[in-house]
């Protein structure tokens, strides 16, 4: 008796996808289905549901009016032969984008990531010593990175170091040889916020820039940096590529830069507390001016003259 993988292969053998420019889907789909099948067995999940979920998702990606007839024929075949599994599969797919923690959904994303990563790895080896890489390779990496962040904790642990190495390489390779000759690498330490009033987290960033001033200006507008703070940039130091790579890998392990919600911030605050620094109290002459220097007819100081004049049309002309 055929199992689900045999039926998937048989569907592709009967339908001529190559005649409709969809030949590449055959190998791609079978590889992901096989991976999902193995993962489902290891995790004690329903392998038929896992494979069908992957299969249905990829079928929906295939466009074109000619393909629609073939897609319907395939789905009808599985409805007849895997009726109960198809019903469960449709329930899983209904929650696919909403809840990534469902075991079957994790199985799907893990399978898609593993196959995507293995395909990217072959291309990555080819261009590893190149400064400029083709746009289609960058696109493959972008897709793989998205799948990586959706994958389960076990997969993230297993592939973490390899993905971080690739991430650093692709970020570096985006810059052309000509730009690389001009730009220098800087380590910028800046005040990062969202850690409580009058406190900051000293976060460091690796920045490519023409000079130190340019690096400081770029870093000021990075996410999490207190860009409105006049003294947000603490230091700027020129570094080499080797040090930049070490800093990048170290930064990926910092808890602060992985906080995404207010709830996560509250939970991790006890761990960050010892790393936070109180804001300095600057002398009066260093503080920004707090009023415009103008007064109303009654002698009251106007802090923001432009805003005041907007809502008070009867101002006396000076």
């Amino acid at each position: 008796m055929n199992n689900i993988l045999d039926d998937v292969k048989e569907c592709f053998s009967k339908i001529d996808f190559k005649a409709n420019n969809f030949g590449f889907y055959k190998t791609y789909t079978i590889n992901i289905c096989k991976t999902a099948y193995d993962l489902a067995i290891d995790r004690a999940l329903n392998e038929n549901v896992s494979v069908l979920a992957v299969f249905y998702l990829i079928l929906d990606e295939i466009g074109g009016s000619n393909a629609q007839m073939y897609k319907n024929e395939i789905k009808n075949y599985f409805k007849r032969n895997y009726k109960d599994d198809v019903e469960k599969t449709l329930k899983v797919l209904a929650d696919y984008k909403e809840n990534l923690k469902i075991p079957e959904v994790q199985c799907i994303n893990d399978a898609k990531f593993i196959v995507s990563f293995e395909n990217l790895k072959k291309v990555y080896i080819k261009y590893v010593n190149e400064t400029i890489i083709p746009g289609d390779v960058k696109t493959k990496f972008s897709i793989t990175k998205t799948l990586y962040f959706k994958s389960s904790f076990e997969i993230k642990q297993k592939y973490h170091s390899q993905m971080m190495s690739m991430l650093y390489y692709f970020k570096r390779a985006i810059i052309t040889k000509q730009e690389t000759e001009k730009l220098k690498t800087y380590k910028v330490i800046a005040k990062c916020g969202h850690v409580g009033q009058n406190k900051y987290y000293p976060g460091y960033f690796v920045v490519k820039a023409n000079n130190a001033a340019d690096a400081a200006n770029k870093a000021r507008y990075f996410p999490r940096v207190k860009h409105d703070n006049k003294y947000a940039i603490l230091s700027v130091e020129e570094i080499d590529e080797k040090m930049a790579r070490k800093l990048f890998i170290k930064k990926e392990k910092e808890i602060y830069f992985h906080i995404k919600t207010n709830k996560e911030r509250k939970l991790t605050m006890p761990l960050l507390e010892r790393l936070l620094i109180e804001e300095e109290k600057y002398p009066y002459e260093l503080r920004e001016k707090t009023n415009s220097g103008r007064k109303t007819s009654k002698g009251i100081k106007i802090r923001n003259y432009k805003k005041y004049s907007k809502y008070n049309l009867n101002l006396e002309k000076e």
Side-chain angles (χ1 to χ4, degrees):
M1 183 179 176
N2 288 357
N3 66 9
I4 190 75
L5 289 176
D6 293 329
D7 283 336
V8 168
K9 291 177 183 177
E10 192 174 341
C11 282
F12 278 108
S13 65
K14 289 180 178 179
I15 299 171
D16 187 9
F17 274 82
K18 288 184 179 179
N20 294 277
N21 300 318
F22 301 120
F24 70 96
Y25 274 104
K26 180 177 179 179
T27 304
Y28 175 71
T29 306
I30 291 173
N31 285 343
I32 296 181
C33 287
K34 177 68 169 62
T35 307
Y37 183 86
D38 294 337
L39 288 174
I41 291 176
D42 290 341
R43 300 174 185 183
L45 300 174
N46 186 325
E47 60 269 24
N48 288 354
V49 172
S50 298
V51 171
L52 280 173
V54 170
F55 191 40
Y56 275 34
L57 282 171
I58 296 174
L59 279 179
D60 288 339
E61 292 176 8
I62 302 175
S65 57
N66 292 334
Q68 192 61 45
M69 178 180 67
Y70 300 133
K71 288 158 62 175
N72 291 336
E73 186 180 330
I74 290 173
K75 289 184 178 181
N76 288 333
Y77 171 82
F78 284 105
K79 277 183 183 178
R80 291 193 302 270
N81 295 278
Y82 296 89
K83 185 178 178 181
D84 294 338
D85 293 325
V86 168
E87 290 178 0
K88 293 176 183 176
T89 300
L90 294 175
K91 289 180 181 179
V92 170
L93 293 177
D95 295 327
Y96 178 67
K97 292 183 179 180
E98 304 296 329
N99 192 349
L100 296 178
K101 294 184 178 180
I102 295 174
E104 288 81 5
V105 172
Q106 285 190 337
C107 185
I108 295 167
N109 288 329
D110 290 352
K112 290 177 77 173
F113 166 73
I114 291 169
V115 172
S116 181
F117 178 82
E118 292 302 324
N119 290 338
L120 177 66
K121 198 173 180 181
K122 296 173 185 176
V123 181
Y124 168 75
I125 293 170
K126 181 180 177 181
Y127 292 100
V128 70
N129 293 319
E130 299 292 329
T131 307
I132 305 173
I133 55 175
D136 61 326
V137 179
K138 293 177 189 175
T139 303
K140 285 182 181 179
F141 174 72
S142 179
I143 293 169
T144 305
K145 185 173 70 171
T146 302
L147 291 171
Y148 170 74
F149 288 121
K150 288 183 179 180
S151 62
S152 64
F153 179 73
E154 292 79 10
I155 293 296
K156 283 189 176 76
Q157 277 192 319
K158 184 177 178 180
Y159 289 90
H160 177 75
S161 59
Q162 296 178 76
M163 281 298 295
M164 291 307 105
S165 297
M166 279 191 181
L167 182 60
Y168 170 78
Y169 166 71
F170 275 90
K171 280 192 173 182
R172 178 176 61 82
I174 288 172
I175 302 171
T176 63
K177 288 182 181 179
Q178 185 179 4
E179 289 173 331
T180 304
E181 290 172 1
K182 293 180 181 178
L183 299 180
K184 298 176 183 178
T185 307
Y186 293 91
K187 172 188 174 183
V188 181
I189 300 178
K191 295 180 180 180
C192 298
H194 305 293
V195 289
Q197 194 172 9
N198 298 324
K199 293 181 181 179
Y200 68 86
Y201 178 87
Y204 60 84
F205 304 87
V206 176
V207 184
K208 289 277 187 180
N210 294 313
N211 51 53
D214 187 30
N217 188 52
K218 284 183 178 180
R220 176 177 290 276
Y221 296 98
F222 284 170
R224 298 176 189 258
V225 175
K226 293 186 172 185
H227 51 267
D228 291 331
N229 189 316
K230 186 176 180 180
Y231 309 100
I233 305 302
L234 299 172
S235 68
V236 181
E237 177 189 354
E238 187 176 348
I239 57 175
D240 56 22
E241 287 295 325
K242 187 176 179 181
M243 177 58 71
R245 185 170 184 174
K246 286 182 179 179
L247 289 174
F248 180 79
I249 294 171
K250 185 180 176 183
K251 184 182 174 183
E252 288 296 321
K253 297 178 181 178
E254 287 192 43
I255 297 173
Y256 174 79
F257 291 102
H258 291 280
I259 298 172
K260 293 181 179 178
T261 63
N262 192 42
K263 184 178 179 180
E264 289 178 358
R265 181 180 66 82
K266 289 179 180 178
L267 289 172
T268 54
M269 191 53 69
L271 299 172
L272 295 174
E273 199 67 46
R274 62 186 179 83
L275 302 173
L276 303 183
I277 299 175
E278 291 282 343
E279 284 276 11
E280 301 90 339
K281 293 182 178 179
Y282 298 103
Y284 178 78
E285 58 270 16
L286 291 179
R287 296 177 189 170
E288 294 184 13
K289 203 171 183 181
T290 56
N291 63 73
S292 65
R294 303 192 186 194
K295 296 181 181 180
T296 65
S297 58
K298 294 182 180 180
I300 300 171
K301 289 182 179 180
I302 301 173
R303 183 181 177 190
N304 188 325
Y305 183 79
K306 185 178 179 180
K307 186 176 180 181
Y308 184 86
S309 60
K310 182 179 178 181
Y311 298 103
N312 296 268
L313 301 177
N314 298 322
L315 279 174
E316 296 179 4
K317 294 183 180 179
E318 297 182 359

